[in-house]
Every structure is written in structure tokens, then in C-alpha cells.
Amino acid sequence: MFQLDTLILTPSVSIFLEIKNISGTIFFERKFKQFIRKTKEGVEEGFPDPLLQIERQSALLKKTFSKLSTPVMPLIPLVVISNPNTVIKSNDSTLSNTILHAARVPFRINEILSSFPNEILHLKDMNRVKRALLKQNVPQAIDVFDRYSLKSNDILKGVECRQCGTFKMKKKNRRWRCDQCLYVDSIAYIEALKDFARLFGPSITNRQLREFCLISSTSVANKILSSLNCPFTGGTKGRVYDLSRLLDG
């Protein structure tokens, strides 16, 4: 069983992408197999090495292909950095075609396809491979922060405006108004709470709601939580609400 961000299966070559959303300056240090980020404050942090991750995924994919007794085809892994402002560095120049920004992906894929023009898998084999991969690539409950190398301070807090896309919605009486474009929305906070549940899990307290949605008033946060009609545990103080219902809708 494995999990892939994106797999491109063609009759001549398979390409899979390991996508990372990480900011700052990142360094792929190959002597000790380290993946290091340097923040704008100059702090160095270590993260799981994406190159080791794609090695494991490659081995699992090759094992799957071998079990199907299909012709052996090339397997090309790519590490894609989704943040365009991230600076990529390495002490191994040969990695330039393996680690790349998202904007370069279409061009790199075309280069790979041009390098493997000969068809290896026929349609029948392609369908067998697809079925096997779909069967094994079972979606799992994952830690988003670990999966995409995120820290809690990488998450943009606030309530997003559905009109202009900024996170400048503020609670004004019974509605939310965007300080950027003045768009008014009565349920803008719902998507913010869904995002919270996806990132941190479905349990939320008054304090967590205020911190995530940038609300200063405890009573306003209480009214929002009460309006959701979600199950909760605990008394008035320290009450924990279950947001699972929002994700089911």
C-alpha cells in the first residue's frame, strides 16, 4: 500500500510527483542525506528528505509492476516545490532535473516524454496497471503538517473572503465584512472551520476558534460555535466542539 501525490502513466514511461509546499531557502545536502530549510530569520530546520521518500515510492511501484508481469517501463520521480518564492539549493548539481518548482513541471514532463518515444505498454497492460495502482493507493488519514513539511506558523489564519480571496473578513454584528473589498457574507466562517478541521482535526475549543479566525471576543466565538449545532463535550468552561458534521456536508 502506498500513497502518491500525482502519477502520470503513459504507454512509454511513468512519472510520479512528490509535492512539497515549503517556504524559505531549502537545501538538499547529499553527504548526510539531509533536507534543511533556512527561514528568513536565519534559523535552520531539518525535515524528512523528499528524495528518500521518492526512493521508497519508486521501490513500491516497481514491486507492483513486477507482480503484474507487464513489460518493464522507466519510472521517473520528481520532487515539486509548489511555493514559487522558495529558493532551492543543493551540493549535487545532478538533482536539477529531479527537484523543480511547479512552474517548470509541464516543460520537464515534455522533456521526459520526448526522451521515451517508444511504446512499452499496450492498452490492455495499461488498464491492468491502473487497476492495481488504484487498489493499492488507498487514501489514508494523514498528518498534513508532516506530509507537506509544514509548521503551524506556515498556516495563514483568518477568514477568507470569497469575493477577493484575502483573509480580511471581520465579524460585524451578524455578518462578516471584508476589510479589503467590503464584501459582506453571513457564513464566511464555515469554510474557515472546515479548513481548521482538515488541518488540526475536528475538535475545537472557543480559544482555538478565536486564534484561528482572528476573533477577539469570547462571547462572539461562543455564539458562532452554538450556531453550528455541533455535538460537544464538557461544561461551559473548556467545552470542546466536534466539527465532523461540517466535513460530511
Side-chain angles (χ1 to χ4, degrees):
M1 184 180 298
F2 51 83
Q3 189 165 27
L4 301 173
D5 285 340
T6 301
L7 175 67
I8 301 169
L9 182 66
T10 78
S12 58
V13 62
S14 291
I15 308 167
F16 76 86
L17 282 56
E18 179 72 25
I19 302 170
K20 297 297 180 184
N21 179 13
I22 187 167
S23 59
T25 298
I26 57 176
F27 183 63
F28 290 83
E29 195 283 318
R30 301 326 300 147
K31 182 178 181 180
F32 296 103
K33 307 287 186 182
Q34 295 183 101
F35 178 47
I36 304 166
R37 174 174 77 163
K38 189 174 184 179
T39 67
K40 60 183 180 180
E41 292 82 15
V43 178
E44 288 191 347
E45 303 170 300
F47 291 91
D49 188 350
L51 294 173
L52 294 178
Q53 292 174 348
I54 63 175
E55 281 185 25
R56 288 193 293 269
Q57 297 287 28
S58 295
L60 288 170
L61 283 170
K62 288 176 182 177
K63 186 176 181 181
T64 298
F65 291 153
S66 65
K67 287 181 178 179
L68 296 173
S69 299
T70 57
V72 178
M73 67 186 311
L75 181 61
I76 310 297
L78 300 175
V79 176
V80 180
I81 308 302
S82 61
N83 189 327
N85 298 316
T86 300
V87 178
I88 305 172
K89 294 184 177 182
S90 178
N91 55 355
D92 184 351
S93 60
T94 64
L95 294 175
S96 60
N97 282 329
T98 301
I99 305 165
L100 57 157
H101 281 111
R104 192 181 155 213
V105 169
F107 304 99
R108 180 63 184 134
I109 289 175
N110 285 335
E111 290 172 0
I112 294 170
L113 294 178
S114 298
S115 300
F116 299 95
N118 298 324
E119 184 176 296
I120 297 175
L121 293 184
H122 297 299
L123 181 60
K124 184 178 180 180
D125 291 324
M126 288 273 291
N127 289 332
R128 287 179 62 202
V129 172
K130 285 183 202 175
R131 287 193 295 269
L133 292 175
L134 288 172
K135 185 177 180 180
Q136 291 195 56
N137 190 32
V138 179
Q140 300 177 10
I142 60 172
D143 185 332
V144 176
F145 291 90
D146 178 64
R147 176 69 173 170
Y148 297 103
S149 302
L150 295 173
K151 301 290 186 182
S152 59
N153 57 6
D154 290 324
I155 304 301
L156 191 60
K157 295 180 180 179
V159 176
E160 184 179 12
C161 174
R162 292 190 287 180
Q163 181 76 13
C164 69
T166 64
F167 285 76
K168 295 186 177 181
M169 297 293 284
K170 296 292 187 293
K171 190 80 163 58
K172 306 288 184 181
N173 298 322
R174 295 185 179 182
R175 295 186 177 184
W176 293 77
R177 189 180 71 184
C178 178
D179 286 347
Q180 180 74 20
C181 68
L182 304 183
Y183 178 70
V184 176
D185 190 339
S186 61
I187 57 170
Y189 63 94
I190 295 294
E191 287 303 318
L193 293 179
K194 288 181 179 180
D195 288 341
F196 179 94
R198 296 183 186 109
L199 289 167
F200 302 103
S203 298
I204 190 170
T205 64
N206 183 294
R207 179 182 60 79
Q208 289 173 321
L209 172 62
R210 284 184 280 121
E211 290 178 353
F212 191 74
C213 294
L214 301 181
I215 298 171
S216 58
S217 171
T218 303
S219 61
V220 168
N222 271 333
K223 289 179 181 178
I224 290 173
L225 291 168
S226 297
S227 70
L228 297 173
N229 293 320
C230 290
F232 60 83
T233 57
T236 304
K237 208 168 186 179
R239 182 170 291 180
V240 179
Y241 291 81
D242 183 355
L243 301 177
S244 299
R245 186 179 64 84
L246 297 182
L247 298 179
D248 294 337

